[in-house]
């Protein structure tokens, strides 16, 4: 059996309630190794809740959740998570490079020196060479986002979970970081699961887009994105196929709204 | 002119004013010595020994007491952060004991502990514990959830999160408590010495005051002030080492 045949992440019929409110109901999804998945859904539908379940920070009330063939019963090794609120997730008393080293908790066989070298390499990969010894609060929001990305990638996770990482940055920075993420994903053959409510971003980034319903949320449709790679901000977005898929996703979301 | 220069100028002005009043005889000179006389007495007393001994005893008491109290308070606060049950059990007791003025328990403590180091250890730890504990417990509870969840997702366990995330995040607030404790330490030490009446600056001041040795009383006051300044600058130096990043961050936030 080749590894590609069993998904790296699988959710089967999971449900989750928070404080008496039903957030997730009967949600199924599969992620293959090496894939870039986008999850789009209306705001407040439970995207963050779903990611915290996938990351093992919360346990689902029912259903099965497996990562690399093992049931998720706590934060698993091999996964990294970038929060929506990335700038508050950085530790202000640590310099950028030490924030990246903070992400290497599970790299036990590396000594301090090797970690520092790897952290400098990761900061270089996100274009932050020269900002290693700055504190996070000394650099711009877009740069803080890059530090958070470098920290998440530093542990060389098999699966990277991203919770609306670009919601708070300006349009130009957003396009830059989208392309940065895509090139990093290709370079490290990184499996990614990106949560967003921006339909264009979801399509532009992904191999497959999964559309989430309103609360209680579940996957209503999965769309394979047949756009040539590597993607290009101008060419890909003008591709007739892009426009067609955009129409399909938006129609799906609109019909859900009408039904709600 | 720098702020240091301005500070020196205003202190010099104050001393000149004081000297002028004392020399003009506005207040009876026997009870209000000129600063020049106080300084001469201070140097003389320090050389003869009693004031030097009193000063160092009090200074060491205050410093050791504040340090021990800080360590104990941090240990309790960390345990409470780890097990909320501890905090629920301890906080009502804290509410009950905290309002007690440390000086008020000295007579009772003398029954049990005598006049030696045990008395001072008890009084000083009691006095300095609260500001550190209350600030630490509150700050350790207030850690940003995003930081904790990020650490958990990265594989850190409860104690590692306390050590690497919650404690460093709480340190700026903890130092507010430590600064208060350092000030309270000197007050408590001097008050206890006044009551116990055996040694230290507190006893020196009471002794000189009751026997109407006015210049000595003022010299003792000056020595107490020096002890306070010394403790303050020690805390400030430690604070700079531990949470210097925080001051720079606040300054740059204020500048932008
Ligand atoms: N601890 C909680 N108790 C009760 N309800 C909660 C709790 N946490 C979140 N919710 C509710 O659950 C729903 C889903 O929250 P969640 O943050 O997962 O949504 P989201 O899709 O990520 O939203 P956004 O688009 O704003 O990021 C929201 O309606 C929220 O109010
Ligand atoms: Mg969210």
């Amino acid at each position: 059996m080749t590894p590609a045949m069993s998904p790296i992440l699988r959710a089967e019929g999971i449900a989750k309630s928070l404080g008496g409110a039903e957030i997730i109901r009967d949600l199924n999804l599969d992620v293959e190794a090496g894939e870039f998945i986008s999850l789009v859904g209306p705001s407040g539908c439970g995207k963050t809740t779903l990611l915290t379940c996938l990351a093992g920070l919360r346990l689902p009330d029912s259903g099965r959740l497996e990562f690399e063939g093992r049931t998720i019963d706590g934060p698993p090794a091999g996964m990294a998570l970038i929060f929506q609120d990335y700038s508050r997730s950085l530790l202000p008393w640590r310099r950028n490079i030490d924030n990246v080293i903070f992400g290497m908790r599970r790299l036990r066989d590396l000594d301090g020196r090797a970690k520092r070298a790897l952290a400098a390499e990761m900061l270089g990969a996100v274009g932050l060479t020269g900002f290693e010894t700055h504190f996070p609060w000394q650099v711009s929001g877009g740069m803080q986002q890059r530090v958070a990305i470098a920290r998440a990638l530093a542990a060389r996770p098999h699966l990277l979970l991203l919770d609306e990482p670009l919601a708070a940055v300006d349009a130009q920075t957003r396009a830059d970081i989208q392309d940065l993420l895509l090139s990093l994903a290709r370079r490290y053959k990184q499996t990614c699961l990106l949560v967003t409510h921006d339909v264009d971003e979801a399509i532009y980034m992904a191999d497959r887009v999964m559309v989430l319903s309103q609360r209680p949320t579940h996957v209503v449709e999965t769309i394979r994105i047949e756009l040539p790679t590597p993607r290009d901000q101008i060419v890909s977005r003008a591709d007739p196929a892009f426009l067609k898929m955009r129409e399909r996703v938006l129609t799906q979301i609109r019909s859900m709204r009408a039904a709600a | 002119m720098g702020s240091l220069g301005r500070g020196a100028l205003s202190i010099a002005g104050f001393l000149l004013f004081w000297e002028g009043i004392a020399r003009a005889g506005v207040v009876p000179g026997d009870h209000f010595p000129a600063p020049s006389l106080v300084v001469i007495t201070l140097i003389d007393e320090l050389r003869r020994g009693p004031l030097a001994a009193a000063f160092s005893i009090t200074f060491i008491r205050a410093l050791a007491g504040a340090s021990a109290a800080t360590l104990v308070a941090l240990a309790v606060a960390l345990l409470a952060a780890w097990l909320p049950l501890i905090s629920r059990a301890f906080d009502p007791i804290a509410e009950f004991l905290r309002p007690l003025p440390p000086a008020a328990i000295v007579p009772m403590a003398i029954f049990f502990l005598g006049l030696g180091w045990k008395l001072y250890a008890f009084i000083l730890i009691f006095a300095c514990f609260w500001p550190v504990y209350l600030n630490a417990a509150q700050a350790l509870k207030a850690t940003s959830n995003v930081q904790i969840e990020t650490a958990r997702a990265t594989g850190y366990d409860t104690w590692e999160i306390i050590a690497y995330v919650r404690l460093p995040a709480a340190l700026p607030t903890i130092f507010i408590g430590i600064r208060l404790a350092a000030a309270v330490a000197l007050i408590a030490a001097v008050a206890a010495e006044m009551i116990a009446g055996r040694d230290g600056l507190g006893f020196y001041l009471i002794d000189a005051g009751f026997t109407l040795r006015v210049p000595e009383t003022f010299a003792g006051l000056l020595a107490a002030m020096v002890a306070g300044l010394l403790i303050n600058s020690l805390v400030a130096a430690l604070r700079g080492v531990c949470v210097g990043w925080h001051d720079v961050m606040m300054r740059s936030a204020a500048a932008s």
Side-chain angles (χ1 to χ4, degrees):
Chain A
M1 197 170 83
T2 63
M5 287 173 71
S6 64
I8 183 170
L9 179 74
R10 160 166 283 170
E12 265 176 37
I14 64 166
K16 182 75 189 172
S17 295
L18 286 177
E22 199 178 8
I23 316 284
I24 302 171
R25 183 200 287 169
D26 195 24
L27 183 140
N28 297 288
L29 64 80
D30 277 350
V31 179
E32 304 289 340
E35 263 190 318
F36 202 119
I37 303 281
S38 291
L39 276 172
V40 266
S43 80
C45 76
K47 302 183 292 293
T48 299
T49 308
L50 174 61
L51 275 199
T52 54
C53 287
L54 298 179
L57 294 170
R58 288 198 178 104
L59 298 183
D61 300 331
S62 60
R64 278 160 54 84
L65 212 46
E66 274 183 8
F67 176 62
E68 298 187 317
R70 267 193 253 149
T71 303
I72 297 174
D73 55 1
M79 230 193 246
L81 172 62
I82 299 179
F83 274 100
Q84 199 163 359
D85 209 352
Y86 58 86
S87 87
R88 283 205 302 134
S89 82
L90 297 172
L91 307 177
W93 56 90
R94 283 180 174 242
R95 295 171 190 278
N96 288 338
I97 192 160
D98 297 309
N99 264 289
V100 176
I101 291 172
F102 187 78
M104 301 179 179
R105 167 69 178 74
R106 292 195 176 101
L107 302 184
R108 286 166 199 275
D109 37 340
L110 290 189
D111 61 11
R113 227 187 182 163
K115 283 185 178 174
R116 196 154 284 273
L118 179 58
E121 185 196 323
M122 292 319 303
L123 282 173
V126 298
L128 284 182
T129 301
F131 292 93
E132 292 88 349
T133 56
H134 286 63
F135 287 96
W137 36 269
Q138 291 174 319
V139 301
S140 70
M143 286 166 145
Q144 291 173 12
Q145 181 59 286
R146 288 160 192 261
V147 176
I149 293 171
R151 174 174 68 183
L153 290 177
R156 292 284 157 83
H158 304 158
L159 174 63
L160 177 62
L161 305 172
L162 302 118
D163 190 1
E164 297 193 41
L166 304 173
V169 296
D170 63 85
Q172 185 55 50
T173 308
R174 181 181 313 179
D176 289 348
I177 297 183
Q178 283 170 349
D179 290 332
L180 171 70
L181 279 172
L182 282 177
S183 75
L184 290 170
R186 206 169 38 242
R187 169 159 21 145
Y188 297 114
K189 297 190 175 37
Q190 180 70 54
T191 315
C192 296
L193 186 74
L194 170 78
V195 159
T196 174
H197 57 234
D198 177 345
V199 172
D200 288 29
E201 175 173 285
I203 297 170
Y204 178 70
M205 303 290 283
D207 300 313
R208 282 195 293 153
V209 172
M210 298 181 183
V211 183
L212 292 173
S213 71
Q214 308 267 32
R215 258 178 61 187
T217 199
H218 58 102
V219 178
V220 286
E221 189 175 8
T222 302
I223 301 163
R224 187 162 290 282
I225 307 297
E226 313 275 9
L227 286 173
T229 53
R231 307 271 159 89
D232 178 278
Q233 291 284 356
I234 298 165
V235 177
S236 302
R237 286 175 192 266
D239 194 312
F242 184 97
L243 298 174
K244 234 173 73 198
M245 277 173 288
R246 183 169 186 272
E247 192 188 325
R248 193 167 145 201
V249 175
L250 286 170
T251 310
Q252 176 66 258
I253 289 175
R254 188 186 300 164
S255 72
M256 280 185 326
R257 270 219 201 101
Chain B
M1 189 188 296
S3 68
L4 209 70
R6 242 173 300 147
L9 201 69
S10 71
I11 288 175
F14 171 73
L15 289 177
L16 222 61
F17 178 68
W18 177 3
E19 185 87 32
I21 288 193
R23 299 238 166 166
V26 182
V27 191
D30 292 350
H31 297 140
F32 194 73
S36 51
L37 178 59
V38 172
V39 172
I40 291 167
T41 313
L42 179 70
I43 293 169
D44 193 43
E45 281 285 287
L46 283 175
R47 236 198 331 247
R48 281 201 305 117
L51 184 54
F55 173 85
S56 43
I57 284 176
T58 302
F59 181 73
I60 289 170
R61 268 178 194 153
L63 191 65
S67 312
T70 297
L71 293 179
V72 175
L74 278 182
V76 178
L78 287 172
L79 280 175
W82 173 59
L83 252 190
L85 184 73
I86 295 179
S87 135
R88 275 200 297 277
F90 187 70
D91 288 357
I93 307 176
E95 282 310 306
F96 176 71
L97 288 178
R98 191 171 57 100
L100 262 181
I105 47 175
V106 175
M108 178 214 74
I110 290 176
F111 289 148
F112 301 116
L113 303 169
L115 296 173
W117 68 270
K118 280 186 229 156
L119 172 73
Y120 292 99
F122 176 73
I123 297 296
L124 281 159
I125 290 178
F126 178 82
C128 303
F129 176 86
W130 305 111
V132 180
Y133 171 75
L134 293 171
N135 277 287
Q138 181 252 323
L140 285 168
K141 256 183 237 159
T143 322
S144 141
N145 213 30
V146 188
Q147 290 176 356
I148 293 178
E149 299 261 275
T150 302
R152 278 184 61 210
T154 312
Y156 291 91
D157 65 30
T158 308
W159 270 113
E160 288 171 330
I161 290 175
I162 289 176
Y164 297 138
V165 180
R166 297 175 69 182
L167 183 59
L171 268 186
T173 309
I174 290 175
F175 264 96
I176 295 175
I178 294 179
R179 203 146 49 176
L180 285 171
V184 168
L186 201 60
I187 298 173
V190 169
E193 286 163 355
M194 284 177 166
I195 300 166
R198 204 168 73 169
D199 52 11
L201 270 181
F203 173 66
Y204 179 95
L205 280 165
I206 286 276
D207 191 39
F210 284 178
T211 51
L212 294 181
R213 284 177 286 138
V214 177
E216 278 92 330
T217 312
F218 275 76
L221 205 64
L222 219 59
M225 196 175 83
V226 170
L229 288 175
L230 218 57
I231 289 186
N232 271 354
S233 33
L234 279 177
V235 173
L238 186 67
R239 190 175 179 285
V241 172
C242 295
V243 295
W245 65 270
H246 188 254
D247 297 341
V248 183
M249 184 174 85
M250 294 324 251
R251 266 203 302 280
S252 70
S256 66

